[in-house]
């Protein structure tokens, strides 16, 4: 079983000619991680890769993780479990609805066992006592199961994200800046670690009040890694929230370029670029790489793309 062969060819990089940056003389490329795999898509594959490799090497056959009803991470983990022969368990925040989300329906179809817990209990997910009770409920021990942090974060997840630029045959030094949407900070930390000292990495936080992510990112970096910053003002109301302007932008961008975006992560990244171009915030940038981190399956949670 070789997890490293999921990506047979280099991840494509596309140059886009778009009104996105207005009159700014900037060459914009997109690293299309959304095309990594039909199911284990985007940055989620990279965040899961070393967890899968470690579980396989330790002969662990069951993976457990946490997330909400529209978790891209749980969706990818369920698909990976189905593909590579792991049992998967998802601890879901909130009571079981009458009809699970499309993402959780996919996960169940791929064999993931879903356990719904109250929001109060969900907050305890990293507490030792809670995890021990969970293992007892599942009749499993820690040598039979691997607990993957929510979102695939942690050192293994960051390490996997260090491989993203190589997957696209990207030489970071050819770009002035690399931008990506930021949820937990693990992907951004991996990109910073692999980008070197010549290229600034800019994250666009998709959460309201995400200043805490700066410490979450810094914990994975050396003190010498200073060429990065986190934009906090482009969340459009918070995680999973949208505005009419954001939706209109995504639809127009797709018509113009043919590149699909999701309204939770990548849509906000590209929308932030448009806004910063209009406000004069792109000075000093002549070549820019945007990382499309996938998440397109989550569009089904919004009426504009519901099927």
């Amino acid at each position: 079983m070789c997890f490293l062969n999921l990506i047979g060819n280099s991840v494509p990089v596309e140059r886009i000619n778009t009104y996105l940056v207005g009159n700014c003389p900037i060459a914009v490329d997109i690293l299309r991680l959304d095309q990594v795999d039909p199911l284990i898509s985007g940055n989620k594959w990279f965040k899961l890769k070393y967890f899968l490799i470690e579980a396989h090497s330790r002969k662990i056959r069951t993976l457990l993780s946490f997330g909400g009803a529209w978790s891209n991470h749980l969706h990818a983990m369920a698909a990976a479990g189905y593909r590579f022969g792991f049992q998967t368990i998802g601890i879901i925040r909130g009571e079981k609805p009458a009809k699970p989300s499309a993402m959780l329906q996919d996960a169940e179809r791929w064999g993931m066992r879903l356990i719904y817990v109250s929001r109060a209990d969900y907050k305890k997910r990293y507490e030792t006592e809670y995890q021990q009770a969970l293992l007892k409920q599942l009749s499993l021990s820690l040598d039979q199961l691997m607990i993957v942090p929510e979102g695939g974060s942690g050192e293994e997840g960051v390490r996997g994200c260090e491989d993203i630029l190589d997957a696209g045959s990207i030489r970071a030094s050819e770009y002035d800046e690399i931008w990506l949407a930021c949820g937990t900070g693990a992907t951004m930390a991996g990109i910073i670690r692999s980008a070197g000292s010549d290229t600034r990495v800019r994250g666009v936080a998709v959460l309201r009040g995400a200043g805490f992510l700066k410490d979450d990112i810094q914990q994975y970096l050396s003190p010498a890694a200073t060429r990065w910053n986190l934009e906090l003002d482009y969340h459009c109301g918070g995680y999973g929230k949208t505005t009419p302007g954001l939706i209109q932008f995504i639809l127009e961008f797709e018509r113009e370029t043919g590149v699909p975006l999701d309204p939770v992560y990548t849509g906000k990244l590209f929308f932030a670029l448009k806004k910063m171009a209009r406000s004069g915030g792109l000075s000093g940038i002549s070549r820019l790489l945007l990382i499309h981190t996938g998440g397109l399956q989550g569009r089904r949670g919004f009426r504009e793309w519901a099927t």
Side-chain angles (χ1 to χ4, degrees):
M1 183 185 300
C2 183
F3 305 112
L4 299 179
N5 288 336
L6 181 69
I7 305 172
N9 300 308
S10 181
V11 178
V13 179
E14 292 185 15
R15 173 70 53 86
I16 57 170
N17 297 311
T18 171
Y19 73 98
L20 188 61
V21 293
N23 295 321
C24 300
I26 300 175
V28 180
D29 291 341
I30 306 176
L31 179 61
R32 297 290 304 272
L33 297 186
D34 58 305
Q35 296 186 3
V36 164
D37 184 82
L39 299 180
I40 316 172
S41 178
N43 62 328
K44 300 306 179 187
W45 158 247
F46 294 91
K47 294 172 84 172
L48 283 170
K49 179 170 66 172
Y50 289 106
F51 287 107
L52 296 174
I53 290 171
E54 181 182 351
H56 179 65
S57 68
R58 291 169 51 191
K59 301 187 184 329
I60 291 174
R61 304 309 310 155
T62 303
L63 307 174
L64 178 147
S65 196
F66 312 89
W70 289 93
S71 169
N72 289 317
H73 163 64
L74 289 182
H75 190 268
M77 194 176 85
Y82 179 77
R83 179 87 57 84
F84 300 121
F86 291 97
Q87 298 297 315
T88 56
I89 301 169
I91 307 301
I92 312 302
R93 181 181 63 249
E95 304 300 329
K96 183 176 181 179
K99 182 180 179 181
S101 70
M103 302 274 269
L104 293 184
Q105 291 180 51
D106 287 345
E108 277 197 302
R109 187 169 66 253
W110 296 325
M112 176 174 273
R113 176 181 176 184
L114 305 181
I115 300 175
Y116 295 85
V117 300
S118 69
R119 293 178 180 271
D121 281 345
Y122 192 83
K123 290 179 180 179
K124 304 174 186 177
R125 62 194 178 280
Y126 295 130
E127 296 179 8
T128 301
E129 184 176 347
Y130 177 78
Q131 291 187 359
Q132 289 176 341
L134 192 57
L135 290 171
K136 185 176 181 180
Q137 175 187 342
L138 296 169
S139 300
L140 292 169
S141 62
L142 277 177
D143 60 352
Q144 298 172 305
L145 172 146
M146 174 175 287
I147 296 177
V148 179
E150 183 178 22
S153 56
E155 177 57 35
E156 290 87 350
V158 173
R159 179 185 171 198
C161 291
E162 286 188 74
D163 296 341
I164 286 174
L165 297 182
D166 280 346
S169 301
I170 298 294
R171 294 179 61 183
S173 60
E174 295 181 353
Y175 294 93
D176 299 304
E177 295 198 7
I178 298 173
W179 289 27
L180 69 155
C182 189
T184 65
T187 303
M188 185 170 176
I191 296 297
I192 295 167
R193 286 186 356 187
S194 60
S197 59
D198 296 328
T199 303
R200 176 169 292 278
V201 178
R202 193 186 301 244
V204 174
V206 301
L207 317 171
R208 179 191 290 272
F212 67 92
L213 287 176
K214 294 178 181 178
D215 289 336
D216 288 356
I217 293 166
Q218 187 62 59
Q219 68 178 312
Y220 297 111
L221 307 177
S222 73
T226 59
R227 289 185 57 77
W228 63 277
N229 61 288
L230 191 63
E231 302 291 343
L232 301 176
D233 299 327
Y234 301 98
H235 51 73
C236 298
Y239 184 74
K241 304 293 185 182
T242 66
T243 64
L246 173 65
I247 297 300
Q248 181 181 355
F249 164 77
I250 291 173
L251 295 173
E252 290 177 352
F253 181 82
E254 291 180 7
R255 284 195 295 268
E256 183 193 11
T257 66
V259 177
L261 304 175
D262 85 287
V264 179
Y265 292 96
T266 54
K268 293 179 180 181
L269 168 68
F270 285 68
F271 198 33
L273 177 60
K274 178 184 177 182
K275 288 187 172 183
M276 293 181 71
R278 299 299 186 271
S279 66
L282 303 180
S283 61
I285 303 175
S286 61
R287 191 167 183 196
L288 174 64
L289 178 70
L290 302 175
I291 299 179
H292 191 313
T293 48
L296 297 175
Q297 65 278 352
R299 301 193 334 166
R300 293 173 292 174
F302 296 86
R303 61 180 177 83
E304 293 80 5
W305 296 279
T307 57

